Amino acid sequence: MTTSLTTRERDVLHGISQGYTTKEIASQLYLSDHTIISYRKSLLSKLQAMNAPAMVRKGFELGILTTNG
């Protein structure tokens, strides 16, 4: 399965994997909360995940996320 994520989607996924809230991710990326919510929905769809933990797991499985940061 090839999953193509934008740079921002990867940034949001990284923030989620670090345990940051939507508000915290929005602040770090200088985006609105609503924009982060849209990215989260897009990530759920693209990664075919039901929730944030499944999204993070898929991110590691696909090599999008690594333990090195």
Side-chain angles (χ1 to χ4, degrees):
M1 173 173 138
T2 302
T3 302
S4 179
L5 300 182
T6 67
T7 300
R8 279 299 196 200
E9 287 171 336
R10 288 173 182 268
D11 293 341
V12 171
L13 182 59
H14 179 74
I16 293 167
S17 75
Q18 296 298 308
Y20 293 121
T21 65
T22 295
K23 188 174 283 301
E24 290 169 330
I25 296 168
S27 176
Q28 290 171 359
L29 298 179
Y30 303 102
L31 298 169
S32 75
D33 295 359
H34 295 288
T35 301
I36 301 303
I37 291 168
S38 292
Y39 280 125
R40 289 176 76 106
K41 288 178 184 176
S42 175
L43 285 164
L44 286 169
S45 175
K46 285 185 176 184
L47 296 174
Q48 298 176 353
M50 295 292 290
N51 52 37
M55 231 185 334
V56 171
R57 187 185 73 243
K58 277 279 182 101
F60 280 109
E61 289 174 358
L62 297 171
I64 298 165
L65 295 171
T66 64
T67 56
N68 298 339

